[in-house]
Amino acid sequence: MVLKLYGFPSSTCTRRVAVVLKEKNIPYELVPVDLTKNEQKNPEFVKNQPFGQVPYIVEEDGFQLFESRAIGRYIALKYAGQGTKLIPDPSDFKKTALFEQAASIELSNFDPFAYGLATEKVFKPRKGLGETDPKVVAQLTQQLEAKLDAYEQLLSKTKYLAGDEVTLADLFHLSYGAMLSVIGINVLETDKRPNVARWWKDITSRPAWQAVKDGA
């Protein structure tokens, strides 16, 4: 039995885990959970993921874990010597601190705005929760642009957010970052921020992302 990934193939968080598994060369079986039918809210699913969200994993020994970023960290630590090294050795305090700083940047300064834009332009209309509000889109875009100005400064000094080696902190941007271009908000690819554009082209060109970008 290989590791099982319970999720929806095109979901952002499912692909966030899948790209890490690909980077680490870990075989996995995707167990589809159909979000369009609200299967993530079924009692059997909620027994394993009490918040009724995808994804979660089950390993061969029965160990289970949910929350995509937590899964990414676990996989990167457990298989540290396999595939791409995506997290520093915990004994290297400075590299670990820089990694945690970069991971916090993604969670606090990117995800809320990218997720908000995806919600306003994709999820809200799809779920019948109302029409897209152009004012909200404009506000979120402006806020994200300001955050990316800081990214530009950081990425002018290092190749990736935590230094000169790719880490989970970079990969965690991929699924929602990719949605931005799909919805016509190309803030990651503009000449206005050449270092952000260079970084984004780098991480989206990785074979692991290419393998899962259209479905885990």
Side-chain angles (χ1 to χ4, degrees), residues 79-95:
Y79 299 95
Q82 180 175 323
T84 309
K85 186 174 178 62
L86 294 174
I87 199 167
D89 185 328
S91 66
D92 189 326
F93 302 137
K94 290 182 180 179
K95 281 190 175 181

Side-chain angles (χ1 to χ4, degrees), residues 187-201:
V187 291
L188 294 168
E189 304 165 69
T190 174
D191 292 339
K192 180 180 176 182
R193 300 181 191 86
N195 289 295
V196 170
R198 181 264 309 158
W199 166 76
W200 184 244
K201 182 179 180 181

Side-chain angles (χ1 to χ4, degrees), residues 14 20 33-34 61 67-68 76 88 117 163 170 188 209:
T14 301
V20 175
V33 179
D34 194 341
D61 63 1
E67 288 296 329
S68 61
L117 286 164
D170 302 292
L188 294 168
W209 175 245

Side-chain angles (χ1 to χ4, degrees), residues 32-105:
V33 179
D34 194 341
L35 301 187
T36 67
K37 297 179 181 177
N38 283 327
E39 289 182 352
Q40 79 279 14
K41 303 299 183 183
N42 289 346
E44 285 302 311
F45 186 90
V46 174
K47 284 181 183 178
N48 298 294
Q49 215 293 12
F51 296 97
Q53 300 168 337
V54 294
Y56 72 89
I57 62 167
V58 180
E59 291 196 291
E60 294 180 73
D61 63 1
F63 178 70
Q64 297 188 25
L65 188 66
F66 60 85
E67 288 296 329
S68 61
R69 292 176 181 84
I71 296 170
R73 279 175 163 81
Y74 171 70
I75 295 298
L77 285 168
K78 181 176 179 179
Y79 299 95
Q82 180 175 323
T84 309
K85 186 174 178 62
L86 294 174
I87 199 167
D89 185 328
S91 66
D92 189 326
F93 302 137
K94 290 182 180 179
K95 281 190 175 181
T96 298
L98 289 171
F99 163 72
E100 291 297 346
Q101 174 180 266
S104 181
I105 287 168

Side-chain angles (χ1 to χ4, degrees), residues 1 8 75-76 137 140 179 195:
M1 172 182 143
F8 190 58
I75 295 298
V137 171
L140 288 169
M179 285 196 73
N195 289 295

Side-chain angles (χ1 to χ4, degrees), residues 105-106 108-114 117 139-156 161 169-170 173 176-178 180-181 185-200 203:
I105 287 168
E106 183 272 331
S108 302
N109 294 290
F110 181 82
D111 187 76
F113 309 102
L117 286 164
Q139 181 182 29
L140 288 169
T141 302
Q142 183 180 28
Q143 290 173 311
L144 180 56
E145 294 251 24
K147 299 296 185 181
L148 290 174
D149 287 340
Y151 273 63
E152 178 67 16
Q153 180 180 341
L154 290 167
L155 291 166
S156 70
L161 285 174
D170 302 292
H173 289 76
Y176 274 111
L180 292 175
S181 58
I185 301 173
N186 298 310
V187 291
L188 294 168
E189 304 165 69
T190 174
D191 292 339
K192 180 180 176 182
R193 300 181 191 86
N195 289 295
V196 170
R198 181 264 309 158
W199 166 76
W200 184 244
I203 62 174

